[in-house]
Amino acid sequence: MSDYEEGESKFWRKAKENPFVPVGMAGFFAIVGYRLMKLKHRGDTKMSVHLIHMRVAAQGFVVGAITMGVIYSMYKDYVVKPREAKQLAAQK
C-alpha cells in the first residue's frame, strides 16, 4: 500500500525494475500499427495470412524483449551483485 501512496504507478515501478517491459510493449504496438497501415497495400495476400504474419512478428519481438530482460536480470544478479559484495568485503 505504501508504494501507491508515493504517487508512483505500478507500471513505472515495474519499468524501473525491468526496463525491457516498456521496450517490449512499445515494439509490439509499433509492429501492429505498421502492419495495420500496410493492410491497404497487401496485394494478393489473403487477410488471414497477413494477420498471421503480423501476429508472429509482434510475438517474436515480445519474446525477444523478454529474453533480453531475463539476460539483463541474470547479469545483474550473478555478475554485478557478487562484484559489489566482493568490493564491500575488501573495504572492511
Side-chain angles (χ1 to χ4, degrees), residues 33-81:
Y34 174 72
R35 295 295 288 200
L36 286 175
M37 286 183 355
K38 267 184 81 173
L39 191 62
K40 291 180 185 177
H41 309 290
R42 70 179 190 271
D44 294 336
T45 307
K46 288 184 178 180
M47 174 72 87
S48 61
V49 172
H50 183 78
L51 293 176
I52 288 170
H53 288 170
M54 177 176 59
R55 189 198 70 178
V56 168
Q59 284 180 335
F61 189 90
V62 170
V63 168
I66 290 171
T67 303
M68 294 303 295
V70 167
I71 291 170
Y72 176 72
S73 70
M74 288 176 64
Y75 172 76
K76 283 192 333 186
D77 291 344
Y78 296 110
V79 176
V80 174
K81 283 185 182 177

